[in-house]
Amino acid sequence: MQNDAMQAVRRAAACETIKLDCGLTVLVRPMPGYSGVHAIYGTRFGSIDLDFEVDGKAVHLPAGVAHFLEHKMFESEDGDAFAKYAKTGAAANAYTSFDKTCYLFTATQQVDESLDILLSMVGEPYFTEATIAKEQGIIGQEIKMYDDSPDWRIMTALFQCLYHSHPIRHDIAGTVESIAEITPEMLYDCCRAFYSPGNMVLAAAGNVTAEQVLAACERAKLPARPVSMRRLQSPEPPTVARERMEFSMPLAKACLGVGFKEAPVQGAKAEVICDMLTELICGGMTPLYRRLYDEGLVNPGFDGEFLLLEGCCCFLFTGETDQPETVRQLLMDEIARLRAEGVDGELFTLCKNQMYGEMLQDLENIEDAATALAGSFFRRRALAEEIEALASLTKAEVDEALQGMLCEDRSATVVIRPEKEDKA
C-alpha cells in the first residue's frame, strides 16, 4: 500500500486509546456532528470459558454460566439497571458470545449518567440463591426458544460434529439442566477471574470526548485488582468428531450445514483471507450461488461464515434446501475447482472492494464504530491493522491459503429434515 493510502486508512480508523492504571483499556472515537453516543463495556469471558484457575483455585463451570452472569449483572442491591437507564433515556442491552460478554447503551442525553450506570452495574455484582433461582426459570424459557430455532440447532450440531472436546460444543445459553447447577460462588469466581479491569474494554463512539469517558472512569473508582487467572483447555485433535448428523424438526424445508475444521490461523491478514473465502465460494456474486439460487436449490439466506476462537477455527455453510445432498456436492465441487484454478480475479476485486467499503462505512455509524473498536481489543490489535491487511491483500495470497483449507477429510455435514406428519 502506498504511504498516502496507508495514512488515509489510519485516519479513517483513528481513535483515542488510553490504558488506565487499573488496567482498563479505553477506546473513544469522537464523531462531531452526531447527536448520539454508543458505549460498550466488554470482557474477554464467553461461553467457552468453562474451565480456569483463579488465584490458585481451579473452577469448572456447567455450560451457560457466562450468559447467565450477563443477565444477573443488571441486578443490584439498589435496583435494576434497566430502571436506572429508563430515567436517563438510554436504550441498554447486553449479549454473550462464545468468547466475550458486552454491556452497552445508546443515548442522546444524560450520557454521563448512563456511563455511571454502565460502569457501576458491572463493577458491583450482587447474587443470592433466591435471585439465581428466579433467573434459572427465565433463562430456561429462553433456552427452549433456541431449541425451536433450526438455524441455531444446525450450528450447534455442526460444532458437535467438528469438535471432540472443545467447549464450543455447548450452547451459549447452556441447557435447563446445566444452569440448574449454577451457584452464587460460581458467579463470584467468574467475576473475580474475568471482570477485572485488565481483562476489559470500554469503547465509545459518537457525540462524546475521551475526557468525558475518562471522567466517568474516575467517578467509578475502578479498582486495580491484580488477578492470577489461567484458562484450562483439553487437547483437541485435528480430526472431526463425527462426519455426519441427521435429525428432524417441524420444518417446511430441510436445512443443510457443512462445516470444515481448520488449524487456528494467526494475524489480521490470515483472518481477512478466511472471511473473504466465504464470499468467494458462495457469496451473492459467485457462480455457485447463482446456480443454487437460479435452480431453486437453496433459499436466499444460504451463505458461509468463518469463526476463530481460542483453540477453534472453522468454516460453516448453512441454509435451507430441498436437496441437501446435491447442494453439499456442488459446494465441495466448487471448492475443489477454486483450489485447482484459483479464484476469479474480477470477483476477488469486487469482494475486496465490498469488504473494504463495509469496514469504512461501519466507522460512520456510532453503533458499528463502537463495536469495531471493542472488537479490535478482543482480537488484540488496532482497528487500522485489519483495514490495512484487507487493503494490501492480493489474489495470490488467497489462492495460496486455499490450498491447505476447506478439505473434505476435515468436514462434517448436518441435515435437519422436516418431521413427517402422522397419517390418520
Side-chain angles (χ1 to χ4, degrees):
M1 183 188 295
Q2 299 298 321
N3 288 336
D4 57 346
M6 186 85 74
Q7 291 173 1
V9 166
R10 289 173 178 162
R11 285 195 300 271
C15 72
E16 298 185 57
T17 304
I18 307 101
K19 186 72 173 283
L20 302 184
D21 291 340
C22 64
L24 178 68
T25 297
V26 178
L27 304 172
V28 183
R29 181 176 172 81
M31 300 170 68
Y34 286 75
S35 60
V37 175
H38 191 72
I40 299 174
Y41 197 24
T43 179
R44 291 190 181 102
F45 177 50
S47 66
I48 66 172
D49 296 306
L50 297 180
D51 302 286
F52 57 93
E53 189 178 88
V54 55
D55 294 333
K57 175 186 177 181
V59 180
H60 303 284
L61 303 175
V65 172
H67 173 258
F68 193 96
L69 182 55
E70 170 219 311
H71 280 235
K72 297 305 298 173
M73 279 297 188
F74 282 90
E75 294 182 8
S76 65
E77 288 187 89
D78 62 346
D80 180 86
F82 282 116
K84 297 177 183 178
Y85 278 122
K87 295 179 181 179
T88 69
N93 209 336
Y95 67 88
T96 303
S97 68
F98 295 114
D99 60 350
K100 58 185 169 290
T101 305
C102 292
Y103 305 84
L104 51 96
F105 73 80
T106 304
T108 56
Q109 58 186 353
Q110 294 185 268
V111 173
D112 293 341
E113 292 83 351
S114 294
L115 283 169
D116 291 342
I117 297 169
L118 182 66
L119 293 171
S120 66
M121 64 175 271
V122 175
E124 301 169 6
Y126 170 71
F127 316 118
T128 66
E129 295 281 359
T131 60
I132 286 176
K134 177 182 176 182
E135 199 67 40
Q136 284 165 337
I138 295 170
I139 295 181
Q141 294 300 314
E142 184 178 340
I143 291 170
K144 291 175 182 177
M145 287 170 46
Y146 280 118
D147 287 342
D148 292 332
S149 167
D151 292 339
W152 192 251
R153 290 282 302 276
I154 206 160
M155 296 289 280
T156 303
L158 278 172
F159 294 139
Q160 291 172 350
C161 286
L162 292 174
Y163 291 91
H164 295 261
S165 60
H166 194 282
I168 198 173
R169 289 172 52 88
H170 301 292
D171 192 293
I172 290 175
T175 65
V176 173
E177 293 75 21
S178 69
I179 65 170
E181 302 175 26
I182 294 175
T183 65
E185 182 183 10
M186 287 180 187
L187 299 184
Y188 283 117
D189 282 339
C190 293
C191 289
R192 193 166 78 257
F194 299 104
Y195 279 78
S196 61
N199 194 51
M200 302 186 71
V201 63
L202 175 59
N207 184 23
V208 68
T209 65
E211 291 74 20
Q212 193 174 1
V213 177
L214 292 175
C217 294
E218 182 70 21
R219 291 193 300 273
K221 296 181 171 56
L222 301 172
R225 296 186 302 217
V227 176
S228 173
M229 190 277 294
R230 181 171 65 94
R231 289 174 169 85
L232 306 175
Q233 294 183 328
S234 300
E236 175 65 44
T239 58
V240 299
R242 183 174 176 178
E243 294 182 356
R244 189 177 182 90
M245 182 187 297
E246 285 196 27
F247 55 95
S248 60
M249 288 181 65
L251 303 173
K253 183 178 290 189
C255 292
L256 169 70
V258 181
F260 296 85
K261 186 176 186 178
E262 308 290 345
V265 299
Q266 295 183 343
K269 179 66 72 72
E271 291 184 42
V272 167
I273 289 173
C274 291
D275 279 333
M276 181 177 281
L277 278 173
T278 62
E279 286 296 319
L280 292 169
I281 292 168
C282 71
M285 295 182 287
T286 61
L288 174 62
Y289 183 85
R290 287 198 299 269
R291 178 179 176 183
L292 293 175
Y293 185 67
D294 290 346
E295 295 181 12
L297 293 171
V298 298
N299 70 347
F302 186 87
D303 63 1
E305 65 178 287
F306 166 70
L307 179 65
L308 177 65
L309 305 168
E310 187 71 30
C312 166
C313 181
C314 58
F315 290 91
L316 307 169
F317 298 88
T318 60
E320 292 183 351
T321 173
D322 286 325
Q323 301 183 48
E325 303 307 328
T326 299
V327 173
R328 179 192 178 280
Q329 191 57 53
L330 289 172
L331 174 65
M332 293 296 186
D333 291 345
E334 179 65 1
I335 293 170
R337 185 188 71 80
L338 292 174
R339 187 178 292 119
E341 300 177 5
V343 300
D344 178 79
E346 182 179 358
L347 182 59
F348 166 78
T349 301
L350 288 171
C351 287
K352 178 177 174 177
N353 290 343
Q354 175 180 305
M355 292 175 65
Y356 188 70
E358 289 172 351
M359 280 186 173
L360 295 181
Q361 184 179 18
D362 285 348
L363 296 177
E364 299 305 316
N365 175 284
I366 61 170
E367 289 88 354
D368 292 338
T371 299
L373 292 178
S376 67
F377 166 83
F378 292 120
R379 291 187 291 275
R380 294 181 168 85
R381 57 174 171 262
L383 181 58
E385 290 180 54
E386 299 181 15
I387 301 177
E388 290 170 9
L390 174 61
S392 63
L393 184 63
T394 65
K395 174 183 176 304
E397 289 174 311
V398 175
D399 287 335
E400 181 181 359
L402 185 55
Q403 295 304 309
M405 290 183 163
L406 296 155
C407 299
E408 188 164 3
D409 61 357
R410 293 198 303 272
S411 71
T413 302
V414 175
V415 178
I416 307 179
R417 300 192 184 276
E419 288 181 348
K420 294 181 179 179
E421 295 183 4
D422 293 331
K423 295 182 179 179

